Amino acid sequence: MAAVLKKRALAEYSQTIQEPPVLPIKKLRLIKNPLPTSSTSFLTLVNHLEECKTSSEALKTLLQISETELDHSDLAEAVKKLCDHFKGECESSVRVKILSLLCDIGLENSTEAVTIVDETILLLKTDKSHKVIAQGMNTILKLGKLITDSCTLFHTKLVEVAKTYLKDTSHAVKCKCLEIIGAHSPLCTDEGTEKLLHLISSYFNHDDARVRSEAFQTVVVLHDRGFKINPNIYVDVCEGLNDDYEIVRRVVVRLICVLGNSYPDNEILLPGSIHEIRLIDDAFGKICNSVSDLSMNVRTLAAELLGSMKLVSPKFLNQTLDKKLMSNMRRKRTAHELAWENVTSGEWASGKKWADDAPKELLDADNISLMSSGACGAFVHGLEDEFLEVRSAAVESLCQLSISNSQFANLALDFLVDMFNDEIEDVRLKAIDSLRMISEHIILRDDQLETILGAIEDFSQEVREGLHRMLASCSMSTTAGLKMCVEKLLDNLKRYPQDKRSTYRCLQKIGAQHPDLVLPLVPQFLNIHPFFDTAEPDVENPQYICLLILILNAAQHSLTIMQLLEPHTIRHFLYLRDTMTQYVPVLNLTDLNFNSVARPMSVPESLAFLDNVINNLDMTENTVRVHTTLLQTAKEHLNRLSKMDSTVAGTAQFTALYIAAQLEILQIIEKGFWANPGTLATQQSNNLKTSIDNLLQLCLKLQFFFVGLSPVEQCAIKQFRLRALALNLVYIVKGSNASALAPCHYFLTAVEDMQKELSQAGLQPDNFTALVFAELAQLEEPKPGAVSRVLMPILSEAKMGRIPRPNIDIRMSSASILEPTGHADTSLKFTAGLIMSVPFEAELRYLLDPSRIRLKIKYPDQRTQIVLPRPRHLKPLYYDSTEKESQIGHNIRLLTSVLISHQVWSEACDVEINIALAIPEADIGKRKVVVDSTPTLLDLCKPVRVSVAPKPIKKTL
């Protein structure tokens, strides 16, 4: 019955549809003439050049040749054939390309540079094309730079060739010839230099602006190379300031600055006057005049160069901040000289007109001033310029001149303070940093302080923190000014709570620098009443903490302040001393019945202990078990020492980590499972693999987590890692089904690199490394199986290398995440599928390479994201050059936002955010690192947890 129904249903509901026949798709056969492929050798393509019938085909072939790698064995023949084709080629563009190709060949193979230059000189002798000659000069210029300066005859020949072609009518040829003269003229006597300068200066007034510009630039290049430039060309150079072309005026301004700084005390005669002036002063006036140039680029360059002219007379320097004309700077003549002029002139007063006998003296603005009127107020013009580049350059120069001149610094103070209100953030930041750098010369008045504090409400966190650093380094004049500053900082902290740490550092330094001004304000700040007990403030209140930091840092330099503090304030000090050690100083509280702080351990004592621990380990000749126990005890002692004394913490951490790596490899070798891991159970094999991975990770930490390592310590680490790589290779060959080709190749490469480093450093290899070098040298085919058979007896017999001696300059990389704190009571909520931004701030110290920093975001579903921070989010941690610790490694502050996104969760879960170092070199499983593959990551600190709750999307009308 079921079969009948099935047939009926099929018959009822099935129907046959006949489709039209599908026509076959028409296929096109494309025939393309075969061209030499990129895989063709360089010489084959050069030979193909002879078969080209037209210039266009030759040009296409030359373009293909330029993209092909050159085989050094075919170099001489290829150059010869290219030169032969050049001689028979009639099209100039092809000849230009051949000369360009010869230049590229010479740059890749510097040994043939002299030959190619000689060939180029011969080829140019019969050529008439300006383009070809210009390209030939360019080839000679570039390849000539590869030859050392000791080959004087060769460089002299190049200069003579350039002088020959200098008569060419083309501006491109003249410019290249002048460039060759500037770059290749050998150092000569004063007479030879005079002749060279006379030749170059003859092109100062050339018809083409490009040639004039190159002539002036050649003089600058000669000066940079050590030629003694005659200052007599100064007058001719100054005429170039009136040139119509910007490129000429820019080079002239630079040359005037060079001459002024080189010959500052040379006297020159002012035009139309009998008065002489120092060359540096006149050059300064000329460059000041260029600050008002029509071209923005010239104005920017002039504003930059002013900062380098630090030998200018103070009267000229001060005039740059005043727009009034210096009419009182002309030479005054005595009454006797005026009367004598009147007598010798032969003219006498008739008496018919009042003041007829007054001295007739024509006054002109350009003549009565020792510098042109445009130089007056040059910095004022620069700071008021419409282009931010000019304003920024003017601020920098003003800062550079103020650093070495305290009088000028006080004059420039008001102008720098005015720049705090600039519309561009970068200019404001530059003005703030400039004021910080000249702070040792100035004392802020209350009106200036009021203007500065007006800018502290800026929306930009960088500007606010820059102002904090500036206020921390400046000196204030009155108690009222200090009070106004503190109140403004506290009000601003309510508006921007994220500035808490920056405000703490600012008030810490303000208090230490102004103890006398803080003393009368202590009762007012702490609300101390002479008769009544006031309420005890909350010690967790940021405003109260700010005041305590200010007062306690001032109390370090003023004993009177401690007598004013109430008992609860002393308790708060002890609390802050434990929780915020970096902001609160050590104060002597013995008179107040409190225990005094113990004396910190000194460096020699710590180093002696460290040295003693290592010596004891090296002297022991015990069994493996006893040696392991001694290493474990030494590691614990060193870890404790690193927490007790920060001065030797890096050295102790390095030695403890080195001992931990030794313990790991001793335990692996002692058990003996590594020699035949194929017989192990699954759990034992997994444990062995985990131990080897831990060992490799410890070696990477030793290599990339420490700065200040000497070559001895670096080689010791790499030799130890070589042992770990050997152990890993044996495990893969003996106990794994994975291919061992890539790990074997990686190991052999590491052995080659180790040989080079040891020979360069002049060090002897340790026992294991020496045996590896000897055995691998005798191995005919370094296949994984043969290499592992060689390594097994070496690993079991070779002794451990000596622990490196203590080096006090070693520092360990570290990171501390400041924001988010991970202690929030509430969860962050956002719509699922969208993105939420979490502010992130961290301080990273003693980094070896900042480009390795990565942010690691791990979600509850074990999905991990790796984020590369933007370079502009990495700021220097220390701005004060006196910080000794800032000289070791890279100290960076990371200020960014972490973007989090996920789908809906049933409840709030924690997302882990961490900072790690990317180590792509650690990938030993692949012969070549894939771009998209995740590199090995080493965590710099413990992750911080952020509670996140993605909400479902609300479906509303």
Side-chain angles (χ1 to χ4, degrees):
M1 187 67 184
V4 173
L5 284 174
K6 188 173 181 182
K7 287 181 180 178
R8 245 183 230 160
L10 286 172
E12 188 172 354
Y13 295 107
S14 64
Q15 51 183 317
T16 305
I17 299 174
Q18 186 174 2
E19 294 183 354
V22 180
L23 296 175
I25 299 173
K26 186 176 181 180
K27 295 182 180 180
L28 295 177
R29 186 181 179 189
L30 300 177
I31 301 174
K32 190 176 180 182
N33 293 328
L35 287 173
T37 58
S38 58
S39 60
T40 312
S41 68
F42 189 91
L43 188 59
T44 306
L45 289 172
V46 173
N47 291 331
H48 181 72
L49 200 60
E50 299 173 357
E51 303 171 6
C52 298
K53 298 178 181 179
T54 62
S55 298
S56 59
E57 288 182 9
L59 190 59
K60 288 179 182 177
T61 307
L62 287 170
L63 289 171
Q64 196 166 3
I65 290 172
S66 63
E67 297 174 358
T68 309
E69 291 186 6
L70 174 64
D71 189 0
H72 297 279
S73 60
D74 304 333
L75 184 63
E77 189 177 352
V79 170
K80 184 178 181 301
K81 292 193 175 183
L82 285 172
C83 293
D84 291 341
H85 188 81
F86 181 94
K87 295 171 184 176
E89 180 61 51
C90 58
E91 183 64 38
S92 61
S93 59
V94 179
R95 300 201 301 277
V96 167
K97 182 59 184 174
I98 290 174
L99 290 176
S100 173
L101 197 56
L102 289 173
C103 180
D104 294 339
I105 293 171
L107 290 174
E108 290 183 12
N109 306 272
S110 56
T111 54
E112 295 293 327
V114 176
T115 308
I116 295 175
V117 168
D118 291 337
E119 289 288 345
T120 304
I121 293 172
L122 291 174
L123 293 175
L124 293 179
K125 281 185 178 179
T126 57
D127 209 297
K128 302 297 181 185
S129 171
H130 298 307
K131 292 181 180 178
V132 176
I133 297 174
Q135 178 59 46
M137 291 293 110
N138 189 38
T139 301
I140 292 171
L141 173 68
K142 289 184 176 180
L143 297 184
K145 291 179 180 178
L146 301 177
I147 311 302
T148 57
D149 293 338
S150 58
C151 303
T152 309
L153 292 175
F154 176 77
H155 290 289
T156 305
K157 182 174 73 171
L158 297 187
V159 172
E160 292 301 325
V161 171
K163 289 179 180 178
T164 304
Y165 287 100
L166 201 53
K167 301 171 186 176
D168 197 287
T169 55
S170 170
H171 74 275
V173 178
K174 287 181 182 292
C175 288
K176 287 297 174 185
C177 290
L178 287 169
E179 204 171 343
I180 290 173
I181 292 172
H184 295 292
S185 294
L187 286 172
C188 50
T189 59
D190 292 344
E191 185 179 353
T193 307
E194 283 295 326
K195 291 180 180 178
L196 193 62
L197 282 178
H198 180 71
L199 173 66
I200 297 170
S201 60
S202 63
Y203 291 91
F204 285 176
N205 298 317
H206 194 270
D207 295 338
D208 197 298
R210 290 164 288 194
V211 179
R212 297 198 298 273
S213 172
E214 192 58 51
F216 288 120
Q217 181 63 32
T218 303
V219 180
V220 176
V221 171
L222 288 174
H223 175 270
D224 293 341
R225 290 183 55 215
F227 280 77
K228 189 175 181 181
I229 307 299
N230 191 339
N232 294 335
I233 68 168
Y234 175 77
V235 178
D236 297 330
V237 172
C238 288
E239 293 177 1
L241 289 172
N242 301 320
D243 200 281
D244 294 335
Y245 290 87
E246 170 193 332
I247 56 172
V248 180
R249 297 199 302 274
R250 286 187 66 187
V251 183
V252 167
V253 167
R254 192 180 296 279
L255 182 53
I256 287 174
C257 178
V258 166
L259 291 172
N261 286 328
S262 303
Y263 308 99
D265 295 323
N266 279 37
E267 297 285 339
I268 65 165
L269 191 66
L270 284 173
S273 170
I274 61 171
H275 193 77
E276 290 186 340
I277 186 175
R278 293 172 71 223
L279 181 58
I280 183 73
D281 294 339
D282 190 68
F284 187 77
K286 294 285 194 302
I287 296 177
C288 284
N289 201 28
S290 297
V291 176
S292 304
D293 194 273
L294 293 175
S295 168
M296 183 270 291
N297 293 323
V298 176
R299 297 202 300 274
T300 304
L301 179 62
E304 285 176 1
L305 294 175
L306 287 177
S308 64
M309 307 182 76
K310 298 180 180 178
L311 300 175
V312 185
S313 303
K315 57 186 178 182
F316 289 92
L317 190 59
N318 297 342
Q319 187 65 29
T320 56
L321 296 174
D322 191 357
K323 286 186 177 180
K324 293 191 294 293
L325 186 64
M326 295 187 296
S327 58
N328 63 335
M329 290 182 66
R330 64 189 175 95
R331 180 177 175 270
K332 302 287 187 181
R333 286 178 290 175
T334 62
H336 180 73
E337 289 175 333
L338 292 173
W340 178 249
E341 269 189 25
N342 200 14
V343 170
T344 55
S345 65
E347 297 179 4
W348 296 91
S350 62
K352 294 180 180 180
K353 193 175 180 181
W354 177 255
D356 194 16
D357 57 348
K360 297 176 177 59
E361 190 177 11
L362 295 175
L363 299 181
D364 186 15
D366 289 335
N367 292 332
I368 62 175
S369 176
L370 294 185
M371 54 197 296
S372 63
S373 58
C376 301
F379 276 123
V380 180
H381 291 299
L383 295 174
E384 294 175 353
D385 197 276
E386 59 179 323
F387 288 95
L388 70 94
E389 292 88 352
V390 183
R391 299 199 302 274
S392 181
V395 169
E396 282 186 359
S397 293
L398 203 58
C399 173
Q400 290 174 16
L401 292 171
S402 300
I403 287 174
S404 55
N405 190 330
S406 58
Q407 181 189 1
F408 186 71
N410 283 281
L411 291 175
L413 176 59
D414 287 326
F415 294 92
L416 286 175
V417 170
D418 288 340
M419 295 306 292
F420 286 8
N421 299 319
D422 194 274
E423 59 184 358
I424 303 298
E425 180 180 328
D426 288 342
V427 179
R428 297 199 300 271
L429 274 172
K430 199 159 286 185
I432 290 167
D433 284 337
S434 298
L435 197 55
R436 177 179 60 82
M437 286 188 274
I438 65 172
S439 58
E440 60 182 6
H441 299 305
I442 58 176
I443 297 177
L444 293 177
R445 302 191 308 269
D446 289 356
D447 58 322
Q448 293 167 337
L449 194 59
E450 190 173 357
T451 308
I452 292 171
L453 293 173
I456 207 168
E457 298 177 358
D458 198 292
F459 178 75
S460 169
Q461 185 173 358
E462 284 190 49
V463 173
R464 296 197 305 272
E465 292 185 352
L467 280 166
H468 290 161
R469 291 192 299 271
M470 189 270 297
L471 289 170
S473 60
C474 288
S475 300
M476 302 175 197
S477 54
T478 63
T479 304
L482 178 65
K483 181 184 176 186
M484 176 176 61
C485 176
V486 173
E487 289 175 348
K488 191 71 176 178
L489 286 171
L490 295 180
D491 289 343
N492 209 51
L493 185 59
K494 294 178 182 177
R495 183 176 300 183
Y496 300 107
Q498 63 267 33
D499 293 350
K500 182 168 61 177
R501 280 170 292 276
S502 180
T503 308
Y504 289 167
R505 282 192 291 268
C506 175
L507 289 171
Q508 177 187 10
K509 294 188 177 179
I510 289 177
Q513 290 180 355
H514 305 88
D516 297 334
L517 299 182
V518 173
L519 176 59
L521 296 173
V522 171
Q524 192 173 349
F525 282 155
L526 295 181
N527 199 17
I528 298 174
H529 197 277
F531 306 123
F532 301 107
D533 280 340
T534 54
E536 181 176 335
D538 181 12
V539 75
E540 298 295 335
N541 185 4
Q543 276 77 17
Y544 177 61
I545 293 175
C546 286
L547 292 174
L548 279 183
I549 289 174
L550 173 78
I551 294 169
L552 293 172
N553 280 279
Q556 191 179 8
H557 306 284
S558 176
L559 299 176
T560 313
I561 294 179
M562 293 303 298
Q563 310 301 325
L564 299 175
L565 301 182
E566 295 186 343
H568 67 263
T569 309
I570 301 295
R571 291 198 304 273
H572 294 169
F573 157 68
L574 295 173
Y575 170 73
L576 292 179
R577 180 66 199 145
D578 290 335
T579 56
M580 303 172 66
T581 311
Q582 67 272 31
Y583 301 122
V584 181
V586 178
L587 299 177
N588 187 10
L589 301 176
T590 50
D591 296 337
L592 302 173
N593 298 324
F594 287 98
N595 296 325
S596 60
V597 180
R599 179 179 67 89
M601 187 187 295
S602 62
V603 179
E605 293 169 346
S606 303
L607 275 178
F609 176 77
L610 189 59
D611 204 7
N612 189 29
V613 169
I614 297 174
N615 286 333
N616 291 338
L617 290 175
D618 289 340
M619 289 167 57
T620 55
E621 292 290 342
N622 299 308
T623 60
V624 175
R625 190 175 300 279
V626 175
H627 189 54
T628 303
T629 307
L630 290 173
L631 286 174
Q632 187 68 40
T633 307
K635 188 181 81 167
E636 293 173 1
H637 288 168
L638 292 173
N639 284 330
R640 195 173 302 126
L641 176 64
S642 66
K643 296 175 182 177
M644 293 168 59
D645 189 357
S646 60
T647 53
V648 294
T651 312
Q653 288 164 335
F654 171 78
T655 312
L657 206 59
Y658 194 90
I659 291 173
Q662 281 193 340
L663 281 169
E664 192 76 43
I665 200 169
L666 281 173
Q667 290 173 0
I668 294 173
I669 292 176
E670 182 190 5
K671 291 177 182 177
F673 298 145
W674 63 275
N676 196 9
T679 60
L680 296 178
T682 305
Q683 184 63 33
Q684 291 175 318
S685 180
N686 290 340
N687 291 342
L688 178 59
K689 178 60 177 171
T690 303
S691 299
I692 294 175
D693 290 342
N694 290 339
L695 176 62
L696 290 170
Q697 195 170 38
L698 286 173
C699 294
L700 289 175
K701 286 183 179 180
L702 284 169
Q703 192 172 349
F704 294 99
F705 269 24
F706 293 91
V707 294
L709 297 173
S710 66
V712 176
E713 287 142 0
Q714 291 176 357
C715 288
I717 295 169
K718 291 180 179 178
Q719 289 182 83
F720 195 90
R721 185 162 187 259
L722 201 64
R723 192 187 294 247
L725 291 173
L727 194 63
N728 181 64
L729 178 59
V730 172
Y731 168 76
I732 292 175
V733 172
K734 296 289 184 181
S736 172
N737 294 328
S739 172
L741 287 173
C744 182
H745 175 76
Y746 189 91
F747 174 75
L748 294 174
T749 306
V751 171
E752 291 178 9
D753 294 341
M754 195 72 251
Q755 280 181 317
K756 292 178 185 176
E757 288 193 32
L758 287 172
S759 62
Q760 289 174 358
L763 299 173
Q764 293 296 323
D766 63 10
N767 189 16
F768 171 80
T769 312
L771 289 173
V772 169
F773 289 166
E775 293 293 334
L776 289 182
Q778 299 174 5
L779 204 62
E780 294 181 359
E781 289 189 28
K783 292 184 177 180
V787 174
S788 65
R789 282 193 295 273
V790 167
L791 292 176
M792 284 181 64
I794 301 176
L795 280 169
S796 57
E797 295 171 6
K799 294 181 180 179
M800 284 291 170
R802 295 175 65 86
I803 299 173
R805 298 289 95 190
N807 175 10
I808 197 172
D809 293 331
I810 297 178
R811 296 289 184 275
M812 185 176 182
S813 302
S814 63
S816 56
I817 301 174
L818 306 176
E819 187 72 28
T821 58
H823 302 301
D825 296 331
T826 57
S827 300
L828 301 176
K829 297 180 181 180
F830 67 99
T831 303
L834 298 183
I835 296 173
M836 180 183 64
S837 174
V838 178
F840 186 86
E841 182 181 359
E843 292 181 353
L844 300 96
R845 292 181 172 84
Y846 314 122
L847 292 179
L848 196 62
D849 184 5
S851 64
R852 296 180 182 272
I853 296 173
R854 300 291 185 273
L855 288 176
K856 191 165 74 170
I857 307 165
K858 188 175 181 181
Y859 291 91
D861 58 359
Q862 303 305 307
R863 186 163 57 89
T864 303
Q865 287 181 352
I866 308 300
V867 180
L868 174 65
R870 293 183 181 179
R872 64 187 182 90
H873 292 168
L874 301 174
K875 307 291 181 184
L877 187 58
Y878 300 116
Y879 287 86
D880 192 356
S881 59
T882 58
E883 290 277 356
K884 292 182 181 178
E885 294 296 317
S886 64
Q887 307 300 322
I888 305 175
H890 297 272
N891 298 281
I892 288 172
R893 179 185 180 213
L894 175 59
L895 191 62
T896 184
S897 295
V898 176
L899 302 180
I900 294 177
S901 178
H902 210 281
Q903 298 306 317
V904 181
W905 295 343
S906 58
E907 60 182 11
C909 296
D910 290 339
V911 174
E912 294 184 355
I913 305 174
N914 200 1
I915 302 175
L917 290 184
I919 316 292
E921 303 94 326
D923 192 356
I924 60 177
K926 299 175 184 175
R927 190 178 293 268
K928 290 184 179 179
V929 178
V930 183
V931 178
D932 298 333
S933 65
T934 304
T936 302
L937 294 173
L938 300 178
D939 292 343
L940 274 174
C941 59
K942 292 182 179 179
V944 64
R945 297 175 182 269
V946 179
S947 181
V948 175
K951 300 182 296 183
I953 301 172
K954 293 181 180 179
K955 296 181 180 180
T956 56
L957 294 177

